[in-house]
Amino acid sequence: MFDIPTLRREWLSNPRRDILAGIVVALALIPEAIGFSIIAGVDPRVGLYASFSIAVIISLVGGRPGMISAATAAIAVLVLPLIQQYGVEYLFAATILMGVIQVIAGFLRLHLLMQYVSRSVITGFVNALAILIFIAQLPELTGVPMLTYVLVAAGLAVIYILPRLTKAIPSPLVAIIILTTVVYYMGMDVRTVGDMGELPSSLPSWLIPDVPFTLETLQIILPYSATMAAVGLLESMLTAQIVDDLTDTGSDKRQEMKGQGIANFFTGLLGGMGGCAMIGQSVINVKSGGETRLSTFVSGVFLLFLLLVLGPLVAIIPMASLVAVMIMVSIGTFSWRSIKDTRTNPWQSSVVMIVTVVVVVWTHDLAQGVLAGVILSGLFFASKVKRLFTVDTDLSADGTTRTYRIGGQVFFASSDRFVEAFDYKEVLDRVVIDVSRAHFWDISAVGTLDKAILKFRREGTAVEVRGLNEESAGMIERYAIHDKPGADAQLGGH
Amino acid sequence: MGDTAMENVLAAIDASAYATSVCGYAGWAAKRLSLPVELLHVVQRQDAITARKDLSGAIGLGVKSDLMEELVRLSEEGSRTEIEKGRVMLKAGEQLLRESGITDISTLHRHGGGGRDHSRARRSRPRGCHGQARRRPRICLGPYRLDDRARGEVE
């Protein structure tokens, strides 16, 4: 990993573009870090330190160069109850534990679980995330003077119209500068970043969270840490996939999981909140020409530079301009295509997508939404596969023996159809059940066959089962994975 | 390596000035060893991401799919010209070798991708241009400015 050609490729293959992209991204990190510190109910400092520390650490130890990680919406919405109930020190402790869990997940290769997350669930996740980011802006948009709406609209106008004139400067930055200047010099009475809490004035320092190291503390933080770890890894794996596709390069997902863990662990020790990869900002990075570790690193360092050097200026930025930037991130994260696709996709996939979104928005927990989506897509899959089941039957010439030929997939969902396939009331001497073209997947299927045989025997009919060699059925199942190309690599590891 | 019998001379060429001398040496070596020559050129795709000049940092409706399409379009055009260039190079190399009296020449035209691959998994997988061929020892000539994929061939 640390050989010179790899280092050069991952850091210095195009330093100029990467540094520029990193600076553009840093500007998009500030609103999210500040905005979601406020959502989580902590000082902007907590989010800003976290974004700096996560971005810098992940650039060193992550597995997906060019991906941007920092303090995120997905994590911030989870921790509000913890902070309200127990205070911010518990957030730091939970973040440290979150990192530990993520590193363990990396060693356990849990990224392989992503295989079971269908495309519809992923789309639902992305859309739900976009909606969460948008909802998080609502407190800044309700019960505020009309002027705020005007400022947000003006900010959005600058963000989207300026790139038509020039693509040489980041339009979100221009929007922030224009709005700040106007608000400051015209003395408008709107909320600014300085009103939201303390901004960092020094480098973050190491600290051990001020919590009692007892089992009770662990019981308090563990549920939060586990959810934060799961949500963080989900979004990171998803973003890594998006960056993989955009850059047409591979990434080391396992390393990325461990990297996320390491980044969160140390961020907790620095007094920051947990974070993960960010879809919107990663897209901005790639769009701006960033694709190595350098751009991620620069984004973190430049963020801190901005705060330490321009701190007093950051305090006068009106919240409305940050809201405009976050609305942009929300719009860019949302998959608008998925709405159009609902008309052409199978209804099941649309239902999975919508259920994922609804559960997330309802619970504010992306993990629960994904779980609901995965369960539902599994059920839909089972109900589709159970239709791969055929029965045909004929009666012998003397009318005493009937042969049933069963084909297809027999498993828990199709076992009812299997039982119903037989006419138990027909008077026969002998029944032959030919299952040589059927596959018995689980013990429900085997149990159903037993049940059918018993029902025939109760009527005094002799039953012969043909083609069921339990050894071979078991063999198929065991070898079913191995006959596909690349299975060794998946199972055996690297 | 048990079997050291060489099967062919691999001449790796690119657009650099070395290509001509590589072909010359390959021809010389092939004649002395009575081996066939395999001419290799790896198409290096231009990096579409850094080719874009856009620091606007604004993301809007359908940005992911739009960006994807744009990146594909950018590299698609570049790749087509690169492929054409590669064909011309291989043909010229073949011509050079024929002129020096080599008759048994095979050419190999491969894609080297965008140049960056960060997955350890992919790197560790054996990379043969055509199956068993990569295990055969051979003489390799050419500027060693190939990407990993081709490097797996020559190292």
Side-chain angles (χ1 to χ4, degrees), chain A residues 263-468:
Chain A
N264 282 317
F265 181 82
F266 286 109
T267 301
L269 287 176
L270 277 177
M273 61 199 268
C276 60
M278 314 163 99
I279 295 174
Q281 280 79 352
S282 296
V283 172
I284 294 176
N285 185 40
V286 174
K287 192 165 175 268
S288 308
E291 55 175 331
T292 70
R293 296 179 184 275
L294 184 63
S295 62
T296 312
F297 183 80
V298 169
S299 70
V301 171
F302 190 71
L303 172 71
L304 191 68
F305 168 80
L306 275 181
L307 295 167
L308 295 184
V309 176
L310 306 176
L313 287 178
V314 172
I316 61 165
I317 294 176
M319 285 306 290
S321 63
L322 300 189
V323 170
V325 175
M326 287 322 293
I327 291 176
M328 174 200 85
V329 171
S330 160
I331 292 174
T333 304
F334 200 89
S335 168
W336 298 89
R337 207 194 218 154
S338 65
I339 294 183
K340 216 167 50 184
D341 285 349
T342 48
R343 267 177 280 157
T344 49
N345 282 350
W347 64 268
Q348 289 95 338
S349 55
S350 304
V351 168
V352 168
M353 193 270 276
I354 291 165
V355 165
T356 309
V357 171
V358 169
V359 172
V360 172
V361 174
W362 190 270
T363 61
H364 278 213
D365 181 348
L366 287 152
Q368 288 186 34
V370 168
L371 190 64
V374 167
I375 291 171
L376 199 57
S377 47
L379 289 179
F380 281 139
F381 178 74
S383 73
K384 279 182 190 172
V385 172
K386 79 171 186 194
R387 281 184 241 143
L388 300 175
F389 177 78
T390 56
V391 185
D392 84 282
T393 170
D394 55 49
L395 195 61
S396 64
D398 58 2
T400 58
T401 304
R402 181 173 281 283
T403 308
Y404 290 95
R405 275 178 293 273
I406 313 287
Q409 312 304 322
V410 188
F411 64 111
F412 63 92
S414 58
S415 51
D416 277 354
R417 290 172 67 128
F418 184 85
V419 177
E420 285 162 17
F422 306 104
D423 179 2
Y424 304 100
K425 300 297 172 201
E426 190 180 18
V427 177
L428 295 165
D429 289 344
R430 204 164 147 261
V431 159
V432 177
I433 303 175
D434 182 355
V435 291
S436 51
R437 286 182 299 121
H439 186 77
F440 286 72
W441 284 104
D442 55 11
I443 55 166
S444 312
V446 177
T448 322
L449 180 64
D450 285 343
K451 200 163 103 182
I453 293 169
L454 290 175
K455 280 182 111 160
F456 276 120
R457 278 179 50 199
R458 188 162 283 178
E459 307 293 342
T461 315
V463 183
E464 185 198 340
V465 179
R466 253 183 228 160
L468 178 72

Side-chain angles (χ1 to χ4, degrees), chain A residues 17 160 167 249 287 291, chain B residues 47 52 55-56 59 116:
Chain A
R17 297 294 297 186
Y160 284 117
K167 289 185 171 176
T249 51
K287 192 165 175 268
E291 55 175 331
Chain B
D47 193 346
R52 292 175 78 258
L55 287 175
S56 67
I59 50 176
R116 275 165 226 170

